[in-house]
């Protein structure tokens, strides 16, 4: 005979199992760059890691400078960034442990397809930036202390150009929004190639300068020093770092494509 009370009890139990919250030690707080989020890479990688380990990754996508600040404050368990000098300082200060280079792409200078500043054919990024500044063409900067913004400032400094010229606009946005603004204003901007490829269908911009190895863009994952913040999820951070250098994850990074184009190259080696 059908027992209504027993059936109802089973239903309640099943509901409780489904909605039971994730335990604190199962959550990994990852601060990373907007490029890893905007490109769709993390959405491709993390479900596999979570299914295999039982951890749940909470992604905070922001500029590298903000990601490092969150780590210094003990607000995240692990970081994945792309600003080598800033990362080296983070380790030297005793905050970062076990930096691992996991992948790379490169930076490109995007601009209108008719290239009004005539930067195509430039021999260096510095020469291209100088042409943009001297032509009066619009340049859209992320202006957010991200790894991309840090690289941009390095280029301006090497070119001996003050980037406070009238057509320079710092927008304080992530890479995706910066690309959309550059597209709307038909200006130039510096972008990582991965985010550009992911957004290309929405843009009427071209790669007007490709610097190759000179504009390399390496990404690292780093754990937070337990001596600074012992209560963070260090076990989860290590699990994520270990997984990202595994053959499985490195293969997934290499095989991830958007519109048939590879966005990142796996770089980890023992």
């Amino acid at each position: 005979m059908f027992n209504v009370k027993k059936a109802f009890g089973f239903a309640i139990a099943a509901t409780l199992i489904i909605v039971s919250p994730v335990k604190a030690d199962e959550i990994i707080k990852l601060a990373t760059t907007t490029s890893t989020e905007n490109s769709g890479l993390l959405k491709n990688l993390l479900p596999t890691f979570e299914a295999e380990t039982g951890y749940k990754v909470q992604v905070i996508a922001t500029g590298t400078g903000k990601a490092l600040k969150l780590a210094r404050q003990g607000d995240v368990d692990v970081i994945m960034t792309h600003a080598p000098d800033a990362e080296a300082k983070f380790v030297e200060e005793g905050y970062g442990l076990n930096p691992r280079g996991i992948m790379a792409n490169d930076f490109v200078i995007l601009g209108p397809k008719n290239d009004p500043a005539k930067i195509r054919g430039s021999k260096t990024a510095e020469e291209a930036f100088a042409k943009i500044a001297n032509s009066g063409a619009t340049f859209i900067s992320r202006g957010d202390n991200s790894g991309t913004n840090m690289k941009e400032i390095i280029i301006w400094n090497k070119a001996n150009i003050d980037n406070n010229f009238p057509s320079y606009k710092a927008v304080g946005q992530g890479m995706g929004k910066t690309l959309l603004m550059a597209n709307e204003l038909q200006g130039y901007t510096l972008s990582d190639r991965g985010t550009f490829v992911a957004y290309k269908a929405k843009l009427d911009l071209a790669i007007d300068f490709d610097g190759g190895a000179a504009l390399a863009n390496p990404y690292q994952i780093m754990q937070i020093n337990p001596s600074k913040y012992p209560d963070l999820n260090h076990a989860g951070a290590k699990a994520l770092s270990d997984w990202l250098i595994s053959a499985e994850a490195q293969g997934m990074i290499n095989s991830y494509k958007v519109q048939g184009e590879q966005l990142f190259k796996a770089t980890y080696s023992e």
Side-chain angles (χ1 to χ4, degrees):
M1 182 177 176
F2 182 73
N3 189 319
V4 175
K5 289 184 178 180
K6 184 179 290 187
F8 183 72
F10 284 145
I12 292 296
T15 302
L16 290 174
I17 291 171
I18 292 171
V19 301
S20 59
V22 179
K23 296 178 181 177
D25 61 359
E26 295 173 349
I27 296 173
I28 303 168
K29 294 180 181 178
L30 167 66
T32 187
T33 69
T34 60
S35 57
T36 58
E37 178 79 357
N38 292 161
S39 65
L41 179 69
L42 291 181
K43 292 180 181 178
N44 184 64
L45 293 177
L46 293 181
T48 300
F49 168 75
E50 292 173 341
E52 292 179 2
T53 65
Y55 285 110
K56 177 68 176 177
V57 182
Q58 291 184 351
V59 176
I60 302 168
T62 185
T64 288
K66 180 66 178 296
L68 290 168
K69 181 178 180 180
L70 290 171
R72 283 188 173 93
Q73 295 171 170
D75 292 331
V76 294
D77 303 306
V78 61
I79 57 173
M80 185 193 305
T81 51
H82 64 139
D85 291 344
E87 291 157 4
K89 183 178 180 182
F90 183 75
V91 173
E92 289 169 5
E93 292 173 346
Y95 287 98
L97 286 181
N98 200 21
R100 288 163 158 172
I102 56 172
M103 62 187 185
N105 58 16
D106 62 343
F107 292 108
V108 290
I109 302 176
L110 306 175
K113 292 179 178 178
N114 65 345
D115 187 24
K118 308 301 180 188
I119 71 171
R120 290 176 196 157
S122 298
K123 294 181 180 179
T124 65
E126 291 78 21
E127 181 184 344
F129 270 30
K131 289 178 179 178
I132 293 169
N134 293 332
S135 71
T138 298
F139 187 94
I140 307 297
S141 168
R142 285 182 58 166
D144 62 350
N145 199 32
S146 61
T148 304
N149 187 211
M150 292 179 193
K151 183 67 174 180
E152 177 212 318
I153 298 303
I154 289 171
I155 297 171
W156 288 121
N157 289 339
K158 286 184 177 180
N160 294 314
I161 292 176
D162 182 353
N163 62 354
N164 192 30
F165 53 90
S167 55
Y168 181 90
K169 302 181 186 301
V171 296
Q173 297 290 338
M175 195 70 256
K177 290 183 178 179
T178 300
L179 287 177
L180 295 174
M181 294 178 77
N183 185 68
E184 182 179 351
L185 297 174
Q186 281 296 286
Y188 291 90
T189 192
L190 184 72
S191 172
D192 70 283
R193 189 184 296 269
T195 307
F196 169 61
V197 171
Y199 274 68
K200 189 158 61 171
K202 305 175 184 178
L203 305 174
D204 186 29
L205 297 174
I207 295 176
D208 286 339
F209 180 81
D210 184 338
L215 290 183
N217 181 30
Y219 290 76
Q220 289 195 108
I221 188 166
M222 286 187 288
Q223 298 160 232
I224 313 303
N225 194 334
S227 68
K228 295 286 188 181
Y229 297 103
D231 295 331
L232 296 178
N233 186 358
H234 298 290
K238 183 178 185 302
L240 180 58
S241 178
D242 288 346
W243 186 79
L244 283 170
I245 66 168
S246 70
E248 177 184 30
Q250 292 281 286
M252 291 176 70
I253 290 169
N254 275 334
S255 63
Y256 180 64
K257 296 180 179 180
V258 173
Q259 299 182 31
E261 293 189 48
Q262 182 178 347
L263 270 60
F264 299 91
K265 179 181 178 181
T267 59
Y268 182 77
S269 59
E270 295 288 353

